[in-house]
Amino acid sequence: MNTPTVPLAHPAAASTTVASRPDTATSNRPPALAPVTGAHAVVRSLEALQVEIVFGIPGGAILPVYDPLLDSPQVRHVLVRHEQGAGHAATGYAQATGRVGVCLATSGSGATNLVTALADAQMDSVPVVAITGQVARPLIGTDVFQEVDICGITMPITKYNVLVTDPAEIPRALADAFHIAATGRPGVVLVDIPKDVLQARTTFSWPLERKLPGYRVVTRPHPKQIRAAAELIAAARRPVLYVGGGVIKADASNELRELVKLTGIPVVTTLMARGAFPDSHRLHYGMPGMHGTVAAVAALQRSDLLIALGARFDDRVTGNPASFASQAEVIHVDIDPAEIGKNRVADVPVVGDCKSAISALIDQICTDRTDSSAPDLTDWYADLDAIRETFPVGYNRPSTGALAPERVIEAIGQAAAPDALYVSGVGQHQMWAAHFITYDTPRTWLNSGGLGTMGYAVPAALGAKLGAPNREVWAIDGDGCFQMTNQELATAAIEGVPLKVAIINNGNLGMVRQLQEIHYQGRHSNVDLATHSRRVPDFVLLAEALGCAALRCEREEDLDAIIATARAINDRPVVIDFIVGDCPENGV
C-alpha cells in the first residue's frame, strides 16, 4: 500500500543560491542554484537533517566527502580507530538520544568492517544510517581495488539500502534514509555512493515531498483490537505486562506507568527494556528469561494473560515455546506486524506504536470500567511477592576472598549519578549489570541484546557520552570483550570524552566457561585469557598507553574509594581493572 506524498521541511541550511546580479535584482526569476559536487550535497544534506556527529574513517572512495566535511560548521566528525567502532558509536549515540546515529566508511574492507555493527543495530531496532563510498560507476562489477557489493552484503541486516547513481538524487536518498531508519520499527539504512557520483557536479535541491511507494507505517492501533484487548484485561485474574524494548523506542514509559497505575497489573521488563518501568516500583518483578529473576519467570509462566508491549517473544525469554506461559492468552502490541504471531500466536494482535496503543488502551479501560468491574489482583500479588521474597536477586562472595564481580557492579550503580548511563558488553558481566544496577528511567541501560556482540561497550559508550555529554557514562565490560575494541579509548582520549570503563576481569571468557561447566562436564577448552595468571595484557598499562587514566582494584575494602577516584577524573577517559574471582554458585 503506497504512502501518500508528504511535504518535507525545507531547512534554511539546505538552501544554496547564487546572489543575483544588480541588473537582475528586481527580476521575478527564481535564483539559480549553485553548482556543487555530490560530496557537498552529502554534507549539506546532513546539515539539513540536523546531524550533529558522524563517526568514521576516511578512505579512497569516501574521500570526496571529507573535504567539504572539514568546512561544516554543524557536523562534527569523530575519527574512530576501526569502522566497527564507528558503527557501535553511532548505535550508542542513537540509543542514548533517540536520534539517528550516523557512520561513514569507504568501499571494500572499510564497508565490510561495518557489517557486525550494522547487524547489531538492526537486531536491536536502533536507527542508524551508514554512508559508504563505492568505486566509480564504470568500474562496478570489474573486481577493481576495494570493490565489494556492500548493498548485497548488507541486504539481510538492514531495513533498507540503496546505491545512489545520480548525484542529483543524493539529498532525496539521505532524506529517505533518515525517515526510514527512524520511523516504524527503527533500523539500519545504508546509502552507498560511487566515488565519481561524489565528484560529479550537480545542483543541490532539498526534496519538498517524500515519495516512498510501498513504505507505510501504522502507528495508530485499530479501535476494534483495543476494545478486544480491554475486554481480556477486565476478565484476567493473573495478568502480566511483558514489556520489551519497543516501549523505549516509542518513548512510551510515561504511558506505561499510567497503565500500571490504572490497572495494577504486574510488570516484567526484558533485557532491552530495562528502565522502561522503574525497578523501584513494587509491581516490577524484574527481568524474565534464562538469565532473569525467578519472580519474573514465574509471573509469565503462571499468568492467564500476557500483554506483550514491544516485545518479540525472544528465545532468551521463552525457551521452549510449547511450554512457555501455556495457560495464558496473549495480547501482542507491536509496530512491526511481522513480529505478531511469529513466535507465539496472539489472541488479540494490535499493530501500532506502543505510545499510541497504550494511550488508546488506557482510554478504553476508563470508558469500560465501573466501580464494580475493576479486577481484584490481591491473590496474584501475594503469590508473586512470596516468590520474590523466597528467591531474591543476590549473590555469594567467592570462597577465596576475592572481589565479587556482582559487588563491583552494585557499587558502581550505588555511587554513580542517578541519571548515569550504563553501557554493557556481552557475557556474564552483562547479566550482572542488568540485575545489580537499579534502572528507574529509560535510555539509561544500553547493551547488545539481539546479536550479542562482544566489543560493543567501549565504542557504544563513546557514542552515548557524545550524545549525552552532561551525563555520567559507564562502560561495564569483560576482559574478553574489552580486548576486541579497546582501541576506541584512543578516540575518546583525543576527542576529550571522559567516559568511565569498568573491566570485570575474571581471567576467562566467563559465560563460555560457565556453559562448559554445565554442558561439557567442566572441560574448559580455550577460555583462559591469561589476564589473571600472566596479566597479558596489563590493562592499566594498556589504558595509559591509550591516553586514559588507569586504576586497579583487587580488594573490596578499596572498592568505594577507587570508584570515587574514577568519578572525580573528568578530563579524560578512566579505566578500572577490577580483578574479580569466580563463585560457581552464582547464576546469571
Side-chain angles (χ1 to χ4, degrees):
M1 190 170 184
N2 292 348
T3 305
T5 299
V6 180
L8 286 179
H10 192 175
S15 178
T16 305
T17 62
V18 176
S20 299
R21 296 191 305 271
D23 60 333
T24 60
T26 59
S27 170
N28 291 327
R29 291 182 300 171
L33 291 176
V36 297
T37 66
H40 281 89
V42 170
V43 175
R44 290 183 183 178
S45 296
L46 294 177
E47 291 171 344
L49 291 159
Q50 299 181 346
V51 171
E52 300 172 326
I53 298 174
V54 298
F55 303 89
I57 300 178
I62 197 67
L63 201 56
V65 172
Y66 275 80
D67 186 61
L69 189 59
L70 188 65
D71 298 324
S72 175
Q74 175 184 321
V75 182
R76 175 183 178 183
H77 181 272
V78 174
L79 178 62
V80 296
R81 284 359 186 213
H82 191 285
E83 289 88 354
Q84 183 178 345
H88 289 318
T91 299
Y93 174 90
Q95 288 177 310
T97 65
R99 303 186 64 192
V100 176
V102 185
C103 53
L104 291 174
T106 194
S107 63
S109 55
T112 60
N113 280 346
L114 286 175
V115 167
T116 295
L118 298 185
D120 178 272
Q122 178 68 8
M123 286 197 72
D124 285 343
S125 304
V126 181
V128 169
V129 169
I131 303 170
T132 53
Q134 183 54 274
V135 301
R137 285 170 293 180
L139 300 175
I140 291 175
T142 66
D143 294 329
V144 71
F145 178 67
Q146 289 193 331
E147 181 197 356
V148 296
D149 176 11
I150 195 62
C151 285
I153 289 169
T154 60
M155 188 176 292
I157 59 166
T158 55
K159 186 176 178 182
Y160 174 71
N161 65 35
V162 61
L163 174 67
V164 182
T165 57
D166 181 351
E169 286 298 310
I170 287 173
R172 178 174 296 282
L174 289 173
D176 289 349
F178 276 68
H179 177 71
I180 293 169
T183 55
R185 180 178 182 173
V188 175
V189 177
L190 182 137
V191 180
D192 195 31
I193 312 176
K195 185 174 183 178
D196 64 320
V197 174
L198 293 172
Q199 294 170 323
R201 305 296 287 182
T202 184
T203 53
F204 182 84
S205 178
W206 189 251
L208 297 180
E209 295 178 333
R210 180 176 293 116
K211 298 175 182 177
L212 291 169
Y215 183 70
R216 180 174 180 268
V217 176
V218 176
T219 58
R220 301 178 70 86
H222 196 289
K224 178 182 176 182
Q225 301 306 98
I226 292 295
R227 287 193 296 271
E231 289 173 3
L232 284 185
I233 290 172
R237 291 298 174 266
R238 299 188 308 279
V240 176
L241 287 160
Y242 163 32
V243 176
V247 169
I248 293 176
K249 300 292 188 299
D251 292 322
S253 293
N254 289 336
E255 288 75 11
L256 176 61
R257 291 189 188 95
E258 285 298 314
L259 180 62
V260 175
K261 182 178 179 181
L262 175 65
T263 63
I265 297 175
V267 178
V268 301
T269 55
T270 67
L271 182 67
M272 296 307 298
R274 306 291 288 116
F277 188 76
D279 280 353
S280 56
H281 196 287
R282 69 178 186 87
L283 289 178
H284 186 240
Y285 288 89
M287 185 177 81
M290 65 183 293
H291 300 295
T293 66
V294 176
V297 173
L300 294 179
Q301 288 298 93
R302 299 184 182 189
S303 66
D304 63 1
L305 177 65
L306 292 186
I307 306 153
L309 303 173
R312 59 189 179 90
F313 292 87
D314 175 67
D315 66 292
R316 303 288 92 174
V317 171
T318 65
N320 181 358
S323 61
F324 174 71
S326 57
Q327 302 304 310
E329 293 184 285
V330 173
I331 299 167
H332 193 175
V333 178
D334 205 290
I335 198 162
D336 184 355
E339 286 297 340
I340 297 178
K342 185 176 80 175
N343 296 324
R344 174 66 181 260
V345 173
D347 297 280
V348 178
V350 181
V351 177
D353 174 84
C354 280
K355 193 180 189 77
S356 297
I358 297 172
S359 295
L361 197 53
I362 290 170
D363 292 343
Q364 188 66 50
I365 291 170
C366 289
T367 298
D368 295 346
R369 180 172 288 185
T370 64
D371 291 341
S372 60
S373 66
D376 181 3
L377 303 181
T378 304
D379 290 343
W380 184 220
Y381 298 152
D383 289 345
L384 295 181
D385 288 345
I387 294 169
R388 179 162 57 186
E389 290 167 10
T390 303
F391 302 99
V393 177
Y395 57 90
N396 300 307
R397 260 60 171 192
S399 58
T400 60
L403 189 58
E406 300 93 336
R407 176 65 193 124
V408 171
I409 292 168
E410 184 179 61
I412 291 170
Q414 291 168 346
D419 64 345
L421 303 182
Y422 302 93
V423 187
S424 171
V426 170
Q428 288 178 311
H429 62 281
Q430 177 187 26
M431 299 306 157
W432 291 324
H435 283 298
F436 295 105
I437 294 173
T438 298
Y439 302 99
D440 278 343
T441 54
R443 300 192 187 279
T444 53
W445 164 248
L446 283 60
N447 80 120
S448 171
L451 196 64
T453 306
M454 293 179 69
Y456 165 90
V458 169
L462 167 68
K465 182 63 176 175
L466 284 165
N470 296 323
R471 299 175 70 177
E472 188 171 338
V473 175
W474 281 86
I476 311 293
D477 220 355
D479 45 340
C481 289
F482 181 73
Q483 293 188 72
M484 294 192 173
T485 53
N486 60 62
Q487 69 271 10
E488 299 308 337
L489 285 174
T491 307
I494 290 168
E495 295 285 338
V497 183
L499 57 91
K500 324 292 184 191
V501 180
I503 304 172
I504 310 302
N505 182 356
N506 63 6
N508 281 271
L509 297 170
M511 187 165 279
V512 178
R513 186 175 186 271
Q514 184 180 14
L515 292 171
Q516 289 175 344
E517 289 280 352
I518 296 169
H519 299 293
Y520 297 93
Q521 297 78 49
R523 288 166 53 83
H524 300 147
S525 175
N526 289 281
V527 290
D528 184 353
L529 293 169
T531 53
H532 265 200
S533 58
R534 299 168 60 188
R535 284 201 177 155
V536 177
D538 185 313
F539 290 134
V540 169
L541 296 179
L542 178 60
E544 289 175 343
L546 291 169
C548 305
L551 306 164
R552 179 172 284 125
C553 182
E554 300 186 63
R555 304 186 308 164
E556 185 167 347
E557 51 265 41
D558 300 328
L559 184 58
D560 292 337
I562 288 176
I563 291 172
T565 298
R567 295 188 65 225
I569 299 171
N570 287 302
D571 61 346
R572 59 197 186 282
V574 184
V575 175
I576 312 175
D577 182 16
F578 289 103
I579 307 297
V580 300
D582 273 339
C583 185
E585 296 82 16
N586 290 346
V588 292

